[in-house]
Amino acid sequence: MRLDPPQTNRVLSRARTLRAVGAVVCAVVASAMMTGCGTDSDSVSASATSEAAKVVPHQASTSPSPSPSASPAKLSKEQQKRKDVLDATKITFDKAAKAAVGAVSGSKLVDLELGGLDDDNASGSPSPSGSASPTKSPSPTGSPSPSGSPSPTGSANDPEWVAEVAEKDGTAHTVRIDAVTGKVLDTTADDNQDADDKSRLADMIGKATQTPEQAAKVATAKQKGWVTSIGLEENDDNVLVWKVDVVDSSWNQTDFEIDAAKGTIIAEVTEKSDGN
């Protein structure tokens, strides 16, 4: 007589397989949905794993593509030029000032400018109407600098500091300094001065009780940034001032007038660029 295998054994075997498949399915789904799932203590067979792979659909990647970085604000031509020159400049105003007075024994700083910031002025041409220039502009009265020192030269690739220093008797010298290395490139005495020029310049440096470094500190305390120009002159009211140009981190320029005797801010004007 043929005996059929007990139905109970087939049912139990099928139940084990389904539980094993269910455990694998839950494990895969849990990794994607962070949800819990019950497990069974029975081991998962190779055939059950294969069955689970057929049941679980392929998971598409949900990682978002990287978003493009925000484009920087458009810079005006003047702003871009300042950025290029200042990025290349390694010698700060105070170090250049120290090198300049060191080049002429017993001298004091009268004017210091970072060249290459305005190509028009570097070539002797006036600035375009309405544009602010980081280099030293003529005094409000239209009179030239005390000794008529030359405009600074240099470029974004080869920036220079151009200084005017004066001896105690008013004799002026032009000193060119490499703005990358700090090396003094050239020192030239001003041959165009007459006795009145020397007397006037000696009088100015004698009355300026505030040093250029002190004036620069006052300006940068009000507007943080790079000092790109400083010069001793008289303003419209015949007040002896240090004119200080400061370029901020947005590449805008603020022009200050600092009382050369009191160290107070008399005037300040900030250029606002429209990005053209």
Side-chain angles (χ1 to χ4, degrees), residues 9-187:
N9 291 340
R10 288 199 297 270
V11 171
L12 291 175
S13 176
R14 186 178 304 159
R16 291 191 189 97
T17 301
L18 289 176
R19 284 197 299 271
V21 172
V24 174
V25 171
C26 289
V28 174
V29 174
S31 67
M33 301 181 63
M34 298 301 291
T35 59
C37 184
T39 59
D40 192 272
S41 59
D42 294 333
S43 60
V44 180
S45 65
S47 61
T49 303
S50 177
E51 290 297 326
K54 295 176 183 178
V55 173
V56 180
H58 176 69
Q59 295 287 330
S61 173
T62 57
S63 301
S65 58
S67 58
S69 57
S71 57
K74 183 180 179 181
L75 301 180
S76 69
K77 291 181 180 179
E78 290 80 8
Q79 288 174 315
Q80 186 63 56
K81 192 176 296 184
R82 293 170 193 149
K83 182 180 185 303
D84 292 342
V85 173
L86 286 168
D87 282 348
T89 297
K90 306 302 180 184
I91 302 302
T92 56
F93 137 82
D94 52 333
K95 292 180 180 179
K98 185 176 180 180
V101 296
V104 179
S105 179
S107 66
K108 289 187 177 181
L109 187 72
V110 178
D111 188 272
L112 180 64
E113 305 171 40
L114 181 60
L117 290 175
D118 192 320
D119 290 340
D120 292 326
N121 276 0
S123 62
S125 303
S127 299
S129 176
S131 65
S133 168
T135 54
K136 186 175 182 294
S137 59
S139 62
T141 59
S143 60
S145 60
S147 65
S149 58
S151 299
T153 57
S155 66
N157 296 325
D158 189 23
E160 291 181 8
W161 286 101
V162 177
E164 180 185 353
V165 298
E167 298 179 56
K168 190 175 181 179
D169 67 352
T171 301
H173 301 260
T174 298
V175 183
R176 293 171 48 240
I177 302 150
D178 191 307
V180 177
T181 65
K183 179 183 178 180
V184 174
L185 302 174
D186 184 58
T187 303

